[in-house]
Amino acid sequence: MEEIQEHQSQSIGKDDGDEIVVEQAAGVLGDPLQHGDFPPKVDSAVEILQEKVTKQVVKEGHGQKPSKYATCFLHYRAWTESTQHKFEDTWHEQRPFEMVLGKEKKEMAGLAVGVSSMNAGERALLHVGWELGYGKEGSFSFPNVPPMADIIYEVELIGFDEVREGKARGDMTAEERIGAADRRKMDGNSFFKDEKLEEAMQQYEMAIAYLGDDFMFQLFGKYRDMALAVKNPCHLNMAACLIKLKRHEEAIAQCTIALAEDENNAKALFRRGKARAELGQTDAAREDFLKARKHAPEDKAITRELRLLDEHDKAVYKKQKEIYKGIFGPPPQPKPKPANLLTRMWQWLTLICQWLLSLIYRLFKRERRKAD
């Protein structure tokens, strides 16, 4: 792989295109429109691709369509049409599916027809007849598909590589896979600089797909270092895109993957802290920022985020203090009700009676003293 020399970023918190591009060299994480337990409702026109395959576009893509023997990277969900039972979901597994058009498995023939009609970034709903799916016998292992089951696919084409001989990842050498991933990363950086965040994430996810866990487990020494020098920046760059798109939980997940390889990565700690702060997880965000500052003590962005957290906590404390003061403060004293006329007359008569009785008592005592 041709060595690419670049400079380190000067600021962990810098959120612009240059910051991403200067990561060390060496999909969209497809967010389905609905929760995914059932096929999405789509109102677009139905396109007949083959007698047993129809397509409805959920989201338009861009660029060209893949040709035969192109290596395609996609996410999909699959349901049996009659029971609406979901039997596969690559979004849930967080691992894109790789398909070489023209070399797909027999049960994937209908899915391949749909994918070959799609542009990169396109999401579609496919209806596939059982003849181009799991056939008359179905599948009783994994996935579990009944016999003669028509299938519904929600599929997103992340992107594809036009390789003339249809060379899949498993047939590449380590250098070829790392090189292909690095080219995808650099393409993603270019999209990011142009503020094309969705397209950038597509490239980063394709790069990560070349460096999957099964491949990484086989690498040691310099090859593992070369692969991590591509893979980790892709996760961090995806996190930067996701933060800009306010998809903070996904950004946290990307940073956590990078931290699993390098627990002291200041950029990963900073970006995870930033995403956590946006979600109101202030204690966890502060912990990340403090760890990041330990490894990058001069970074002003970390200091700024910690100051913002302190200001937020003070504002919350002040508001809570006012609320609790109203709840636990001294109870308000009831105002005396104005007395009515009858009450006042009764009070006056009582006072006059008391005065008369007192006067009579004094006169009685005086007359008694005179008699003695």
Side-chain angles (χ1 to χ4, degrees):
M1 179 181 68
E2 180 182 355
E3 183 178 0
I4 301 174
Q5 297 181 346
E6 297 176 352
H7 300 288
Q8 287 280 357
S9 170
Q10 298 300 314
S11 174
I12 290 171
K14 191 176 179 184
D15 287 331
D16 55 38
D18 292 337
E19 193 277 336
I20 289 245
V21 172
V22 297
E23 291 275 2
Q24 281 188 342
V28 183
L29 260 183
D31 54 323
L33 300 179
Q34 300 185 17
H35 294 297
D37 293 332
F38 299 98
K41 304 297 183 183
V42 183
D43 297 326
S44 59
V46 176
E47 180 182 356
I48 300 174
L49 303 179
Q50 279 191 14
E51 183 182 357
K52 299 296 180 179
V53 183
T54 63
K55 182 180 84 168
Q56 290 175 277
V57 175
V58 178
K59 184 186 73 173
E60 296 287 348
H62 52 83
Q64 301 295 316
K65 293 178 172 62
S67 60
K68 191 174 183 179
Y69 301 128
T71 300
C72 300
F73 300 92
L74 52 133
H75 273 303
Y76 71 89
R77 286 177 170 143
W79 298 263
T80 54
E81 188 162 10
S82 58
T83 64
Q84 304 283 289
H85 165 66
K86 183 174 68 174
F87 60 86
E88 276 194 292
D89 187 344
T90 65
W91 274 293
H92 179 73
E93 296 167 2
Q94 296 186 345
R95 178 178 294 184
F97 179 73
E98 177 187 350
M99 172 187 288
V100 178
L101 295 180
K103 294 188 176 183
E104 68 277 352
K105 295 179 180 179
K106 183 179 179 182
E107 62 268 21
M108 294 290 179
L111 178 60
V113 170
V115 170
S116 65
S117 73
M118 298 171 67
N119 304 105
E122 181 179 331
R123 180 182 284 142
L125 195 70
L126 304 177
H127 289 256
V128 176
W130 62 266
E131 295 89 345
L132 296 179
Y134 286 82
K136 188 175 182 179
E137 302 298 328
S139 172
F140 292 96
S141 57
F142 180 83
N144 186 6
V145 182
M148 301 178 67
D150 294 337
I151 300 172
I152 300 175
Y153 288 103
E154 180 187 11
V155 57
E156 178 172 352
L157 178 59
I158 300 167
F160 55 89
D161 278 332
E162 289 288 3
V163 183
R164 185 167 51 192
E165 66 275 18
K167 199 171 187 180
R169 287 176 296 175
D171 299 328
M172 293 181 176
T173 65
E175 291 92 340
E176 287 174 333
R177 287 182 71 157
I178 295 170
D182 189 67
R183 289 190 293 275
R184 287 294 182 181
K185 180 180 79 72
M186 299 306 294
D187 289 342
N189 293 346
S190 298
F191 280 123
F192 185 89
K193 286 184 69 175
D194 295 334
E195 292 294 323
K196 296 178 179 179
L197 302 181
E198 298 285 352
E199 289 87 342
M201 288 196 296
Q202 289 173 0
Q203 298 302 315
Y204 295 138
E205 191 173 11
M206 287 184 66
I208 293 168
Y210 277 107
L211 307 174
D213 291 340
D214 53 343
F215 175 68
M216 296 298 294
F217 287 146
Q218 302 173 37
L219 299 181
F220 299 94
K222 70 171 186 177
Y223 288 112
R224 183 170 178 82
D225 293 340
M226 290 166 61
L228 287 176
V230 176
K231 186 174 185 288
N232 278 357
C234 285
H235 287 299
L236 296 181
N237 293 353
M238 285 190 70
C241 293
L242 291 164
I243 289 171
K244 283 178 172 285
L245 294 170
K246 302 190 182 302
R247 290 160 56 181
H248 302 297
E249 291 182 354
E250 295 172 73
I252 290 170
Q254 292 297 317
C255 293
T256 301
I257 293 172
L259 288 167
E261 294 289 349
D262 180 8
E263 63 181 357
N264 298 323
N265 190 303
K267 283 185 180 180
L269 290 166
F270 175 82
R271 289 178 184 163
R272 189 173 71 174
K274 197 171 178 67
R276 284 174 163 174
E278 291 291 341
L279 292 174
Q281 302 171 5
T282 54
D283 291 340
R286 181 177 285 103
E287 183 179 350
D288 280 341
F289 289 141
L290 290 173
K291 287 181 181 178
R293 187 171 67 179
K294 181 179 178 181
H295 301 290
E298 303 299 324
D299 194 277
K300 295 180 180 179
I302 299 174
T303 303
R304 182 179 68 248
E305 293 296 332
L306 284 168
R307 185 179 67 251
L308 290 173
L309 280 182
D310 289 338
E311 292 173 357
H312 173 268
D313 288 349
K314 288 179 182 177
V316 170
Y317 174 76
K318 183 178 179 181
K319 186 174 182 180
Q320 290 177 341
K321 188 176 179 181
E322 293 174 355
I323 293 172
Y324 294 148
K325 183 178 179 181
I327 296 174
F328 301 109
Q333 298 296 323
K335 295 180 179 180
K337 295 181 180 180
N340 57 33
L341 182 59
L342 289 175
T343 303
R344 290 180 181 178
M345 289 179 66
W346 175 254
Q347 291 173 345
W348 292 339
L349 287 172
T350 302
L351 290 172
I352 292 171
C353 289
Q354 290 175 347
W355 180 79
L356 287 173
L357 288 172
S358 177
L359 178 62
I360 292 170
Y361 177 73
R362 287 197 299 271
L363 290 173
F364 174 75
K365 289 182 67 174
R366 185 185 300 173
E367 290 299 325
R368 187 173 181 180
R369 280 198 298 272
K370 286 181 180 181
D372 292 342

